[in-house]
Amino acid sequence: MLRLGVLSTLILALAAPAGAAEKPRVMSIDNCAIQLILALAERAQIVSLAKGGEVTTLAAIKALGEGLPRNERTAEEIIRARPDLLFYGTWTGSTAMTVKRLGIRAIRLEPPRDVEQAKRQIVEVATLLGQEARGRELAARIARQQAEAIARRPEARLNGLVYRSGGYAYGADTLVDSIMDSAGINNVAARLGQKLAGTIEMETVLMAAPQVLLDDQVRDRADPRIATDFLAHPALRRGLPATPIAIDTLSTLVDAHRATLEGRR
């Protein structure tokens, strides 16, 4: 999976212009496509989004999705809605193949492995949505954020880790790894040999002793779950930085880096 929270570190909500004349109608059965659709499509273009994708995303992105129809990822819903474009991912491929045979155009979104790939994907998706100018604007904005982060990051690098519920972490060849590098933070998961995304045992993390623990998800306290309190585990609280640092932009990640080096955290 991509990224609820991960792309949000790059994407800042843009106000969609009114009217969707002649623009393709879009539907998503993959949570990972939701942020791109919300940031790029006009509201009137969106047929529905996958149910559940709104639970752990940033407030600005979540606000854009409020009131939009949700779907259960079923072929019956897609056939009934007949969208011009359907976005799907790794876990919804069989449904997409079914509706493809009925003439519905289905596009699989692959997780970008670095910021450059993310920018290209934004432009590609925007073009499919008839919003190429909007996509190029957002990609340029991300490029500026990255350049500013690289210029502002301290010379001394930190060892950090994005550690999610259930021990989920992002290793080498991931967007998270690329974002951390832009902010001058070494990815502990990658140094432990983790490729792509997967789980790392808590004991291994404690032995690696990252200097900063990063949190790329925003918990929805109105929908509490046991897994969302994973980072509050007593062992992690005793052995690692007291409070995971919430990140929402590259700028705040660089600020967290500086604050940690200065001993304010």
Side-chain angles (χ1 to χ4, degrees), residues 14 33 37 61 63 84-85 100 107 111 137-138 149 158 195 201 232:
L14 302 176
I37 292 172
I61 298 293
D84 300 307
L85 287 172
K100 269 187 176 183
I107 309 294
E137 177 189 351
L138 182 54
L158 287 177
K195 286 282 188 179
E201 295 293 335

Side-chain angles (χ1 to χ4, degrees), residues 2-3 11 31 41 52 72 90 96 101 118 121 128 132 157 209 222:
L2 195 53
R3 58 207 178 222
I11 292 175
N31 287 348
E72 301 283 350
T90 303
R101 290 193 288 268
Q121 186 179 75
L128 287 170
E132 183 176 355
R157 294 180 69 90

